Amino acid sequence: MAVRDRKSNRAKRSEQLQLLTAVPPCRPSALPVLDERLRGTKFVELAPRSVLNSPQQTGVDFWSLNPYIGCEFGCTYCYARYAHRYAVERARDAGRLSEAEFRDFRGPHGWEAFERRIFVKSRLVAALEADLRRYLRTAGPPDRPTAPIVIGTATDPYQPAERRFRLTRRVLERLARCDGLNLGIITKSPLVARDVDLLRDIQQRSDLEVYVSLITVDARVIRQFEARSPTPAARLRALQKLTAAGINAGLIVAPVLPGITDDRPHLEALFRAAREAGARFVHAGPLRLYPAVRDRFLPVLEAHFPDLPERYRRAYARHSGVPRTYARALGARIRRLQTRFGFPVNEGMVDRYRPRRPATQGELRL
Ligand code: SF4
């Protein structure tokens, strides 16, 4: 019996060894799940070495920072899905996602995961510290204006995850210790009002613009195109809190949806609401229909505005931007409203990097 036991123990050890050597090498480390919602949304840790994107990396004239990748608000017109897909592909290539996980992180149609698998950037402040040194090296002499840093260019920095993870707040705490920055924040969330203390501190030492993003005051249209975003009333209340606290805040109307929210009544209602909330500025820009956005946006358009998809397909057939004549007419309409409601007349952040052209057409037609 004892001999049989010794033999079987040797056999077991040998089996175990075979099993161990048969196991493929461990993946460097899977992406840890930090939290999960009942409806299945997962929050996953990502530890990037760098968080501040330079203009050379992104091709725009400002530096950008996004504490999260992916966004639960799930706007159908959101162009940032590509950034999520890129992060997922890199994680797979680095061996941190199995093929099954990779499929899960892409979603059945390639767009779902952006709204349901949110990357939370850990060690954000340490990465920012190093990035700020890089940023300040490029800033030149102290009397020269620094390039803008914009928070929230690809995902909302105050999306629901921020309540739990507070990454944006930590970024602001760090930036509040800097002098002479030129800082912009874009958000759809009333949670921004939580940080009014920090925003005040920042504004004492740097230039600051807070853009509350709202495409219409019509809550029904909002729900058609933005799956889980805060209501217009909640956003306008947040804007009011910011301006009442002396924060340089205004409205960003982007995207204006051709044939849906570009008519005078819609835009006037927005400008009036902005005025009543004490906004310092209102900027606007038309929809850009990037290829990656079409699959998500056009079926929703089809469902709610069946006479529009064909016109959109024609208008956006060759470019992701609206036709030039439409852009001019919309620009003219926005400038008239800016004048009428007493806001500074300029092309704002959305249009700042596009060529300026005179407005020649009065009608908005795709
Ligand atoms: S809130 Fe902004 S980042 Fe989030 S889904 Fe909407 S457009 Fe995209």
Side-chain angles (χ1 to χ4, degrees), residues 9 32 34 45 49 52 58 68 78 86 92 111 121 123 138 164 179 195 219 230 254 284 323 325 329:
N9 282 342
L34 303 172
E45 183 179 348
R49 278 198 295 269
L52 202 51
T58 55
Y68 304 94
C78 181
Y86 180 63
R92 193 262 314 258
W111 54 259
K121 293 183 183 174
R123 298 202 285 279
T138 68
R164 153 117 203 244
D179 285 307
D195 290 343
T325 49

Side-chain angles (χ1 to χ4, degrees), residues 226-282:
E226 301 175 3
R228 289 168 286 277
S229 66
T231 62
R235 288 183 237 182
L236 289 165
R237 275 198 301 274
L239 177 58
Q240 190 148 33
K241 277 187 200 156
L242 294 175
T243 57
I247 304 299
N248 184 31
L251 215 58
I252 186 164
V253 185
V256 175
L257 300 177
I260 302 170
T261 60
D262 60 355
D263 57 288
R264 284 196 185 86
H266 261 108
L267 291 171
E268 276 173 13
L270 266 173
F271 274 75
R272 190 168 299 112
R275 183 80 283 157
E276 286 166 10
R280 308 283 168 87
F281 49 82
V282 178

Side-chain angles (χ1 to χ4, degrees), residues 71 73-75 77-78 114 154-156 188:
C71 181
F73 288 156
C75 306
Y77 51 75
C78 181
F114 172 80
T155 56
D156 200 302
K188 284 183 165 67

Side-chain angles (χ1 to χ4, degrees), residues 285-322:
L287 174 72
R288 281 183 171 268
L289 202 53
Y290 294 101
V293 177
R294 290 174 192 235
D295 291 351
R296 177 75 174 108
F297 179 80
L298 288 176
V300 174
L301 190 67
E302 192 101 51
H304 299 294
F305 299 88
D307 55 325
L308 282 179
E310 199 38 52
R311 287 163 62 192
Y312 269 61
R313 283 194 186 93
R314 272 201 312 274
Y316 288 99
R318 293 175 45 209
H319 303 286
S320 52
V322 285

Side-chain angles (χ1 to χ4, degrees), residues 194-212:
R194 176 199 68 186
D195 290 343
V196 81
D197 56 332
L198 283 170
L199 297 172
R200 247 203 235 117
D201 292 349
I202 288 172
Q203 208 170 256
Q204 279 172 6
R205 303 171 71 163
S206 296
D207 286 339
L208 173 68
E209 285 177 332
V210 179
Y211 295 82
V212 174

